[in-house]
Amino acid sequence: MQRVAVQRDDQRARNERNAQRRAGRLRRGLVCAAAVPAVALFATACSSDSDSAAQGTAGGGSTSAAGSTDTGVSAAASPTVQAAKYAKLPEPCAVLSKKTLTSLVPEGVKSGKEGASNDVATRGSCSWSSLDNNGVKGSQFRWLNISFLRFDSDAGRGSGDQQAQAYYTSQVRDAQSVAGAKNTKSVPVSGAGDQATAVRYDLKKKEGAFKQQTVVARVANVVVTVDYNGAGLAGEKSPDADTLTKAAEQAAVEAVASVSTANGSGTAPSSPSATPSQSPSKSASPSASPSKSSAKKS
């Protein structure tokens, strides 16, 4: 009897344990079943947010509370430079009036020779020469050259004005540092564009003592360089440097004005009233060469 009672107790215990296991499995099942909708809801919410974000990106960016659109990338501004003022150059051999040419190169008015250029809208030059041969008394020589250089605006190199100003500065510096030059003097010139400088010096050459004048002027994006020299040859006395400088400055004023005229604005100034002393006449002669800086610019 005791053994049967023990067996009954064991069976009862096993039944209770099995019942507890079944209850535990049922509870876990209910918990999982209850958790499924929450997980699904979370997944749906995440999916919805992802879709909204994707749609916002495809539509050009998200919209803020204020209603503005932020693309996330700011476009860089394209570099711009001021457009060049002048688009063309004047005909270089026609920039001076006949009166001015006569005062500078009396017998060389018709001797103008245009320099070679592969782009006449960008660069151009013209030179004149004259010789006053007085026989045994010697002769007076004059040489004149006018050159133009125009700069276009460029995003990489800067505006036409900036490039012209840099070239203007280098031209003045070159004129002030010619090898062998003596008594170099620089003075500002008024009435010739935005800025202008006259550089004069004496230069001894095998043909004689030359008085050299170089006037560099800038008007907006164009640089004008006037080279003018004179010499007394074969015993003739040297010309007056002040008179030559004034004549070169007047030529620069007219050349600068011709740039505006060629581009449809402005009028040419009047010719100078003063005439350089000891002006050459008769036939022109290239025997007395210009200064090194002048030859380089021509």
Side-chain angles (χ1 to χ4, degrees), residues 11-283:
Q11 183 64 40
R12 190 180 301 112
R14 283 195 296 271
N15 291 341
E16 288 178 357
R17 286 195 297 273
N18 290 335
Q20 288 174 357
R21 290 192 191 100
R22 286 194 296 270
R25 285 195 294 269
L26 180 59
R27 282 195 299 271
R28 285 195 297 272
L30 292 174
V31 169
C32 291
V36 168
V39 172
L41 179 61
F42 176 76
T44 303
C46 293
S47 175
S48 176
D49 290 343
S50 299
D51 292 343
S52 298
Q55 289 171 1
T57 302
S62 61
T63 302
S64 67
S68 61
T69 299
D70 179 13
T71 61
V73 179
S74 57
S78 353
T80 57
V81 292
Q82 181 182 7
K85 182 175 182 179
Y86 297 117
K88 58 184 179 179
L89 295 175
E91 185 182 345
C93 290
V95 298
L96 300 182
S97 65
K98 185 177 180 179
K99 184 176 181 180
T100 298
L101 276 175
T102 302
S103 70
L104 273 72
V105 283
E107 294 302 316
V109 172
K110 297 181 180 180
S111 69
K113 182 179 179 181
E114 187 170 348
S117 174
N118 57 4
D119 184 0
V120 295
T122 300
R123 64 177 66 242
S125 65
C126 191
S127 61
W128 297 260
S129 62
S130 186
L131 182 69
D132 179 4
N133 192 341
N134 296 313
V136 294
K137 295 182 179 180
S139 58
Q140 286 288 330
F141 175 76
R142 300 289 185 274
W143 182 83
L144 170 68
N145 184 83
I146 299 179
S147 63
F148 297 84
L149 189 60
R150 186 185 65 82
F151 296 87
D152 282 319
S153 295
D154 181 87
R157 294 188 296 269
S159 70
D161 283 26
Q162 291 173 329
Q163 296 177 67
Q165 187 167 22
Y167 181 70
Y168 163 85
T169 301
S170 70
Q171 285 287 84
V172 172
R173 184 170 55 246
D174 288 348
Q176 293 169 332
S177 56
V178 173
K182 303 292 183 182
N183 305 317
T184 302
K185 181 180 179 181
S186 301
V187 295
V189 178
S190 60
D194 298 310
Q195 53 188 152
T197 301
V199 182
R200 77 186 199 190
Y201 52 86
D202 299 334
L203 191 64
K204 182 70 175 178
K205 304 184 73 172
K206 63 180 182 179
E207 297 88 353
F210 283 77
K211 300 288 185 181
Q212 172 70 35
Q213 281 64 227
T214 297
V215 181
V216 185
R218 180 185 70 84
V219 53
N221 59 309
V222 177
V223 176
V224 180
T225 304
V226 175
D227 285 303
Y228 182 50
N229 63 43
L233 306 177
E236 181 67 278
K237 66 179 182 179
S238 297
D240 179 69
D242 289 336
T243 303
L244 295 181
T245 300
K246 289 179 181 178
E249 289 176 357
Q250 179 60 33
V253 169
E254 289 190 29
V256 165
S258 71
V259 175
S260 296
T261 303
N263 286 270
S265 62
T267 56
S270 58
S271 300
S273 55
T275 300
S277 59
Q278 298 172 304
S279 299
S281 58
K282 306 300 179 185
S283 60

